[in-house]
Amino acid sequence: MATTADFKNGLCIDFNGKPCSIVWFQHVKPGKGPAFVKTKLRNLENGRILEKTYSAGERIEVITVEHRPYQYLYKDEDGFNFMHEETYEQVHLDMNMVDNSDLMKEGQHVEMVFLADEERCLTCELPTYVELEVTYTEPAVKGDTASTNALKSATLETGAEIMVPLFINQGEKIRVNTVDRTYGERVK
C-alpha cells in the first residue's frame, strides 16, 4: 500500500478495480480545510482519462505492470497477432486494443503493457514515430494556395490516410506521429 505522498506521473494504481496510470496530479493545501490531491488517471484497459480527488494521506493500492517488446506479425479476421522478441511466444489481440492500428506494418516493433500479477495484456503501444511510404497522393500544382502551410490527403502503405504538406509526392517515405496521426518529416 502507498499513500498520496507517493504519487508521481506514470505510477500505476488500482482505481475501482481497474488498472490506471497517473497522468497528472497536484497537491492542494487550501487556506481552510484539509489538504487534498487532484489527479487525472488513464484507464489502461480502454485509454479513457478519469479525474479523481483524494484526501491527503489516503491509502491507495499500487499495481505492477510490465512493458514487453513484441513484433507485429499479421492481421486476421479476429484481430492482430504479435510475437515476443525474446521468447517467441505469440499473442493475439482484439482490434479495439490497439490504437491507430492502421499505422502498423508487418515486422514493426511495439511495446505491450501487461498486468504482472495476472499476466493479462492491457494495451499495445506503437512507437511514437513510424516510417511509412506514401502510396497515393494528388500532385501539387504551383500556385494552388496562398498560404505556406497548406495540406493535402495522402494514403500510406498500410492503408491509413493522413494530411501531408503539398511538397510530398507519391513514393516518398515519411515519418508519422502515431499519437496524433500527423506528418513529421521526410525520411532520406
Side-chain angles (χ1 to χ4, degrees):
M1 287 294 236
T3 66
T4 56
D6 299 318
F7 277 3
K8 61 183 176 186
N9 289 340
L11 180 69
C12 295
I13 64 172
D14 185 3
F15 175 68
N16 292 341
K18 302 285 184 191
C20 292
S21 174
I22 295 176
V23 177
W24 174 87
F25 69 98
Q26 179 182 20
H27 289 277
V28 179
K29 176 65 176 115
K32 280 184 160 181
F36 57 92
V37 182
K38 296 166 91 177
T39 62
K40 287 189 181 181
L41 307 169
R42 177 184 309 277
N43 185 324
L44 293 174
E45 293 176 331
N46 58 25
R48 290 194 181 124
I49 300 291
L50 311 165
E51 292 187 14
K52 168 75 173 151
T53 302
Y54 291 96
S55 301
E58 187 174 333
R59 293 193 152 306
I60 49 141
E61 185 178 345
V62 177
I63 58 172
T64 306
V65 296
E66 293 179 0
H67 295 265
R68 300 178 188 165
Y70 275 79
Q71 183 179 18
Y72 172 54
L73 296 177
Y74 61 92
K75 175 183 175 183
D76 58 20
E77 64 274 352
D78 297 329
F80 302 105
N81 293 285
F82 299 90
M83 177 182 67
H84 192 281
E85 293 181 347
E86 296 161 3
T87 63
Y88 305 110
E89 164 198 9
Q90 290 193 14
V91 173
H92 177 81
L93 292 181
D94 292 333
M95 291 185 189
N96 61 353
M97 290 185 73
V98 184
D99 290 336
N100 293 320
S101 61
D102 59 343
L103 294 176
M104 278 193 315
K105 66 179 183 179
E106 292 179 2
Q108 182 174 340
H109 300 281
V110 296
E111 197 169 78
M112 300 267 200
V113 179
F114 280 84
L115 190 57
D117 299 339
E118 301 175 15
E119 283 297 313
R120 181 171 51 112
C121 182
L122 298 173
T123 59
C124 174
E125 298 174 353
L126 275 62
T128 306
Y129 288 96
V130 293
E131 295 177 2
L132 299 169
E133 184 178 334
V134 176
T135 56
Y136 178 77
T137 188
E138 293 289 330
V141 178
K142 190 169 184 165
D144 261 357
T145 181
S147 67
T148 57
N149 58 352
L151 299 174
K152 63 181 179 179
S153 178
T155 304
L156 305 175
E157 64 183 289
T158 60
E161 287 194 23
I162 66 163
M163 300 302 284
V164 297
L166 292 176
F167 59 82
I168 298 296
N169 297 315
Q170 189 169 322
E172 289 187 292
K173 280 194 172 269
I174 61 172
R175 187 166 285 130
V176 179
N177 185 329
T178 60
V179 177
D180 57 5
R181 300 177 65 88
T182 57
Y183 166 83
E185 63 183 355
R186 268 194 246 191
V187 178
K188 295 178 171 76

